[in-house]
Each structure stands twice: as C-alpha cells, then as structure tokens.
C-alpha cells in the first residue's frame, strides 16, 4: 500500500534538522501528509546521527520501539549518517528497516518509498553528482529562526571524526541558490537565518566567501538576524571577522570548536590549529566585536590524553571564558584513525575529566549570562513557554530568554534582561515592535 502519511524524527546536528525539513517538503509535494505528535504514520523516517556511539544505538532501539508501539508496522526509512555508514548492513542488523538512504541521496526518497511500498528494500548511499538541493522544492514554510544549509561535507579528516566518510567531500552550494532560498525563507516568515555547514566558514563560490554572502543576505528586507555555524578555526579569515564589526544583522555569537587545549593532542587529532593560533583568532574577534559570545566544542579522553594535556584544555577555557560550550567524551568510531590508536582512555577517567570540564564551562556560562543583567536588548520570540503568558526567544548572544508577553512567535521585541540562570535569562518587555 502506498503510504499517505509520514513522520520524520531527526537526531544530531542542525544540518540533520534542515535535511528533515527538506525531506518533509519533498514528501508533502508527493501528496503525503505529516502526522501530528502522537499520531501513527504510514512512513517513519529516522534521520540519524553517527557522530557518537550512543546516537547510532538510539536509532536502532527506536526502530524496535516503532514495531512495538504501532498497531501496524509503518514503512521504516533509515536516513542520515548511520544509514550512510551502515548501508545494506542496517537491514541485516534490523530487518524491519525497509529503506536505507544516505544524506546525499534524499532527492531519491519519493521513488524509494514507492518501491518499498511494493515490497522492495531499496538502499541508496551513493554520493551523486546531481545535488539533492536541486531536487528540493521551493521553501514555503519557515520558522522565525530558520536553518539554511550552504556547505556540506568535510575534507579536514580529524582523526576521531566520521563526518568526511558519512557526508562526503566539502562542497559549497552556489551563491545564487543560497540567496534565492534565503529570500523564499524570509517571504515565508523567517526573521533570522542560520547558515549551516560542517565547516560553514569554508563556504566559497569563486572569489566570494562567507563574509560576502552574509553582506548580501543582510540587504534582504524583513531579514533581521544572521548567524552561521559550525566554523573551523583554519577557515576563520579576516573578512569574516571584520563582518562581525560592520554588519549589524550579523549576531554577536561565534561557535568555534577547539576540541583540546593541548598542542600535542591537537596534532594527534589532525586539527590544523594550535592553542596559540586559536587564541589569536578569539582576540581578533573580540577586537572587531567586543561583546561577542564565544562558544566551543571539546572532546575529553582522546587516545593518549594525559592529565597534563587535560589541564591545558582547562587553561584554554580560562583564557577564552566561553559563553557556552558542548563537551563530549571521546567515542571511538569504526574506520577512523583514532579508533586504533594506542592508549585508549578508560571510561572512568573520561567521566571524571568531563565533570571537571563541565563545571568550568558552567561557571563561565553563568558569568557570561550575569554580565548581561540589566542590558536593554532585542529578543526574537520563537515559541510558547511552559508558564501561562510566557514566551521563549533568543537574545543576540543566543541565550534562551523567557519573557511574559502577548507577542507572537516571529516578533522581535525590546526587553531588559532582568534575571540570569546558568542556562537561560528572564526578561521584561520594554516596548512591542510594530508588526
Ligand atoms: N566541523 C566542526 C569542527 O571541526 O569544528 C565540528 C562538526 S562535528 C559534526 C561536531 C562535534 O562533534 C565536534 O566538534 C566534536 O567535538 C564532536 N565529535 C566528533 N567526533 C567525535 C568523536 N568521535 N567522539 C566525541 N566527540 C566527537
Ligand atoms: Fe569532523 Fe574535523 Fe571535519 Fe569537523 S573538521 S566535521 S570535526 S573531520
């Protein structure tokens, strides 16, 4: 039977969220309907992440749960990076999986669904020359803050990471396509666009780089805010740093993963930066935009990491005073060089280091939030809060802000920040923007 309804569950990074939205648009174009929360669907797409072990295990256990929950088994499509890494093996591991589709082959999903509904078990993990982006329909739905993937894949080959294998080589979407998609998103109601890429600051079209793209997007009427993530230190050029000081719509926030503060570990990770070159970028960025919120990624327990190496990571946190950060225990990924390195670190040591690291991160995050107390600023309202009359939005520094207001999602309102917690701020309304 041809499925009439679908549900997409995305795990992992923002690029998966973006891909999930685009797959939904593609399926809707075929006449299928997205189900409401709690409703059974004829087709379930699990849009997976392979970056750490637990994420893949979670996807397989979700497949099992789908079988037990529904009255009839839906068609199950395994999408995303687990699909790319496992290929047909996924169907051997879990015979309930009908479709396996890798991240560069989503444009093939509708025809794969038709085949699967006739009993076939299609697998598509090629990285075709025709980009999936060309097959996606024009954007007709947008969130107040909408994602827009501009760059995919990675050629950096950090020794711990699966991305170069699951997402393929680094490609940039053409300038014209990105600008057209940004216009479509704004027409559909987006007030903020978050440009996405595994190494978004490597985006390039001919002589144009990300800074040029940001400057042109900033001219779009109705678009109020621009962000971009994730940046690689090696691609952080002066033009982009300068844009932070010159383009008011570019928000004062930079996610710049360092991973470790030890030169030795960074070399073993095949990161091209050193603690010194990284700190030099932070300094330049602060000179261009003094209030910038810097965020980062950290891996603790990379093979061979000594207590001294780990302390160097704590030191770089003290030097940067991160406004927020993501931190992970090293997870050995099959097929990556680090997985077979000597001196894999025992779990107890990783746990203990992660706790110490997160205590430090939390300290600076709270300090950053407190430093904004009393500031008059703007919040972009994104959704309804848990309490009556409460709405939740984002400050320019990407803090989650709770505010009592009758404003709607998509409103940009003037507030004063009146309370600071470790993970969020509270604000009082100053005046409502005329819609
Ligand atoms: N391209 C970005 C960069 O290099 O700065 C990061 C993109 S990666 C998808 C997101 C984060 O996942 C990385 O910054 C890293 O901290 C984490 N990560 C990647 N592989 C990992 C692994 N094997 N174990 C633990 N964390 C990992
Ligand atoms: Fe992974 Fe390194 Fe590429 Fe980032 S730069 S996606 S961590 S290989």
């Amino acid at each position: 039977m041809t499925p009439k309804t679908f549900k997409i569950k995305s795990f992992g990074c923002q690029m998966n969220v973006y891909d999930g939205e685009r797959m939904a648009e593609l399926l809707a174009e075929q006449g299928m309907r997205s189900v409401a929360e709690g409703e059974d669907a004829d087709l379930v797409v699990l849009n997976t992440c392979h970056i750490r072990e637990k994420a893949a295990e979670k996807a397989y256990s979700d497949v099992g749960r789908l079988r037990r929950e529904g009255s009839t088994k839906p068609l199950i499509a395994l999408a995303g990076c687990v699909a790319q890494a496992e290929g047909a093996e996924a169907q051997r591991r879990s015979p309930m999986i009908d479709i396996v589709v890798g991240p560069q082959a989503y444009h093939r999903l509708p025809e794969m669904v038709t085949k699967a509904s006739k009993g076939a078990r299609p697998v598509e993990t090629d990285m075709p020359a025709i980009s999936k982006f060309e097959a996606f329909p024009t954007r007709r739905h947008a969130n107040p803050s909408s994602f827009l993937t501009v760059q995919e894949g990675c050629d950096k080959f950090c020794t711990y990471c699966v991305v170069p294998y699951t997402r393929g080589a680094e490609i940039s979407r053409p300038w014209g396509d990105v600008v057209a998609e940004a216009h479509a998103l704004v027409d559909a109601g987006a007030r903020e666009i978050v440009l996405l890429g595994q190494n978004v600051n490597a985006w390039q079209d001919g002589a144009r780089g990300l800074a040029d793209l940001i400057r042109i997007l900033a001219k779009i009427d109705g678009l109020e805010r621009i962000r971009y993530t994730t940046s690689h230190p090696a691609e952080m050029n002066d033009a982009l740093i300068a844009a932070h000081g010159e383009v008011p719509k570019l928000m004062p926030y930079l996610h710049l993963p360092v991973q470790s503060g030890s030169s030795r570990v960074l070399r073993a990770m095949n990161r091209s930066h050193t603690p010194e070159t990284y700190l030099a970028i932070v300094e330049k960025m602060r000179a261009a935009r003094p209030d910038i919120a810097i965020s980062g990624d950290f891996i603790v327990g990379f093979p061979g990491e000594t207590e001294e190496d780990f302390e160097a990571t704590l030191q770089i946190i003290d030097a940067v005073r991160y406004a927020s950060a993501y931190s992970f225990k090293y997870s050995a990924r099959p097929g990556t060089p680090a997985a077979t390195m000597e001196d894999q670190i025992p779990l107890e040591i990783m746990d203990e280091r992660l706790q110490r690291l997160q205590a430090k991160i939390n300290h600076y995050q709270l300090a950053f939030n407190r430093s904004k107390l009393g500031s008059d600023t703007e919040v972009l309202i994104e959704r309804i809060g848990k309490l009556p009359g409460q709405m939740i939005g984002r400050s320019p520094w990407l803090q989650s802000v709770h505010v009592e207001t009758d404003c709607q999602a998509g409103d940009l309102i003037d507030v004063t920040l009146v309370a600071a917690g470790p993970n969020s701020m509270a604000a009082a309304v100053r005046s409502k923007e005329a819609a």
Side-chain angles (χ1 to χ4, degrees), residues 71-87:
S71 42
T72 52
K73 177 193 166 299
L75 277 184
I76 298 177
L78 186 74
C81 291
V82 174
Q84 186 68 34
E86 306 269 290

Side-chain angles (χ1 to χ4, degrees), residues 51-52 160 198-199 257 259 271 297 328-329 331 333:
I51 203 87
R52 282 168 294 277
Y160 50 81
Q198 253 91 35
N199 292 303
Q259 314 298 357
R271 300 286 291 181
D297 287 352
F328 312 102
K329 283 182 268 188
S331 165
R333 310 313 294 129

Side-chain angles (χ1 to χ4, degrees), residues 186 191-193 214-227 243-244 246-252 289 396:
V186 173
R191 311 290 309 271
E192 170 175 290
I193 288 182
I214 288 168
R215 285 177 194 272
I216 205 82
L217 296 181
K219 297 201 166 108
I220 300 179
D221 280 342
L223 179 62
E224 305 295 342
R225 292 177 163 193
I226 301 169
R227 301 181 188 275
H244 274 278
E246 292 164 10
V247 181
K249 289 185 184 179
L250 182 56
M251 290 294 101
R289 182 78 208 223

Side-chain angles (χ1 to χ4, degrees), residues 60-73:
Y60 282 114
S61 75
D62 262 43
V63 170
R65 197 169 318 118
L66 281 172
R67 180 76 186 111
R68 290 191 296 277
E69 274 172 6
S71 42
T72 52
K73 177 193 166 299

Side-chain angles (χ1 to χ4, degrees), residues 52-54 300-303 305 328-332 343-356:
R52 282 168 294 277
E53 205 168 359
K54 275 196 201 134
V300 301
F302 184 80
E305 184 189 70
F328 312 102
K329 283 182 268 188
Y330 166 73
S331 165
D343 277 341
Q344 300 281 326
I345 305 294
L347 195 58
E348 316 82 77
I349 296 189
M350 289 207 251
D351 280 333
E352 188 263 341
R353 287 183 186 163
L354 189 67
Q355 268 188 26
R356 280 157 69 198

Side-chain angles (χ1 to χ4, degrees), residues 51 154-158 160-164 198-199 232 259 271:
I51 203 87
C154 180
D155 298 335
K156 305 275 189 289
F157 289 94
C158 299
Y160 50 81
C161 184
V162 287
V163 167
Q198 253 91 35
N199 292 303
H232 193 286
Q259 314 298 357
R271 300 286 291 181

